[in-house]
C-alpha cells in the first residue's frame, strides 16, 4: 500500500440533522459522473455523484483526513474552504446567474438565452448587455458571473 496522499477536496452538505461533509477525489468523481446519462448535463451529473458520496460528521471527517496524511491545519483549512463554498452557493445559484435580468458585479446584464451551444462543454450562449456602454455580446453561461464587457472593460485583448 502506497503512502502517497491522493488529491482530494471536501464539500459541505446541509443535512436534516446538521452539517455533513464529503471527501471528493477527482478520479472517483470522473468515474462516477461519466458517461453522462441521456439528457443529463454536467450539473445534474455532479449532483448525482455527490448524492452517492458517503457523508461524514465533522469529527469523522477530521479523523479520515488525518488518516490520509493531512495535518490538523490542512484539515481545518479544508473544512473552512468547504463552508465558504457552501455559503457562496447558497447566496448565488446558476439558476439566478442565468436568469434574464441578472446583473453581475461588473454591470453586465443577461438579456436573453440563445439556442446555440457554448464553447465550453454543456454550456449555452447568452446575450449580455453592458450597463456602462450598452454593448451587447455573446457569452457562455458559466462565464456570466465575472464577465467584463469586451468593448469597454476587458483590456487584456
Amino acid at each position: 500500500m502506497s503512502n502517497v496522499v491522493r488529491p482530494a477536496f471536501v464539500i459541505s452538505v446541509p443535512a436534516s440533522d446538521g452539517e455533513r461533509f464529503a471527501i471528493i477525489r477527482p478520479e472517483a468523481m470522473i468515474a462516477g459522473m461519466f458517461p453522462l446519462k441521456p439528457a443529463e448535463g454536467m450539473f445534474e451529473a455532479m449532483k448525482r455523484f455527490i448524492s452517492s458520496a458517503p457523508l461524514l460528521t465533522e469529527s469523522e471527517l477530521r479523523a479520515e483526513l488525518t488518516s490520509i496524511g493531512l495535518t490538523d491545519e490542512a484539515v481545518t483549512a479544508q473544512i473552512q474552504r468547504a463552508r465558504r463554498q457552501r455559503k457562496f452557493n447558497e447566496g448565488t445559484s446558476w439558476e439566478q446567474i442565468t436568469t434574464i435580468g441578472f446583473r453581475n458585479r461588473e454591470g453586465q446584464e443577461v438579456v436573453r438565452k440563445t439556442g446555440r451551444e457554448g464553447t465550453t462543454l454543456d454550456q449555452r450562449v447568452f446575450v449580455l448587455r453592458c450597463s456602462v456602454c450598452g454593448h451587447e455580446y455573446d457569452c457562455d453561461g458559466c462565464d456570466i458571473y465575472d464577465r467584463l464587457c469586451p468593448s469597454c472593460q476587458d483590456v487584456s485583448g
Side-chain angles (χ1 to χ4, degrees):
M1 185 161 141
S2 171
N3 288 335
V4 174
V5 177
R6 289 205 160 117
F9 60 94
V10 174
I11 61 168
S12 172
V13 180
S16 60
D17 58 346
E19 179 182 42
R20 294 291 185 263
F21 298 91
I23 300 171
I24 307 297
R25 291 178 176 84
E27 69 277 2
M29 184 173 71
I30 290 168
M33 288 175 55
F34 296 100
L36 296 177
K37 297 188 181 298
E40 181 181 53
M42 293 292 287
F43 182 73
E44 290 81 13
M46 183 162 294
K47 282 174 57 174
R48 176 175 45 82
F49 169 75
I50 290 171
S51 70
S52 71
L55 298 179
L56 308 169
T57 64
E58 183 174 341
S59 60
E60 292 168 335
L61 173 71
R62 285 183 179 280
E64 180 68 23
L65 292 177
T66 300
S67 76
I68 63 172
L70 271 64
T71 65
D72 287 340
E73 294 80 22
V75 169
T76 298
Q78 284 276 346
I79 292 169
Q80 289 172 342
R81 187 209 54 78
R83 286 178 172 150
R84 280 192 310 271
Q85 188 64 43
R86 187 175 110 211
K87 185 176 179 180
F88 170 79
N89 289 338
E90 287 172 350
T92 306
S93 73
W94 292 115
E95 288 81 17
Q96 288 174 315
I97 292 172
T98 57
T99 298
I100 305 307
F102 171 83
R103 184 179 291 197
N104 73 13
R105 64 181 176 237
E106 305 298 340
Q108 307 308 299
E109 184 176 343
V110 178
V111 176
R112 67 183 168 278
K113 179 179 179 179
T114 73
R116 297 188 321 266
E117 288 187 21
T119 58
T120 305
L121 181 66
D122 287 333
Q123 289 296 305
R124 288 286 172 215
V125 172
F126 288 78
V127 175
L128 302 185
R129 179 183 305 123
C130 178
S131 65
V132 176
C133 72
H135 179 66
E136 288 191 7
Y137 58 95
D138 294 345
C139 175
D140 281 1
C142 62
D143 294 330
I144 293 170
Y145 180 75
D146 57 0
R147 180 68 184 203
L148 297 170
C149 174
S151 179
C152 74
Q153 294 175 326
D154 187 4
V155 295
S156 65

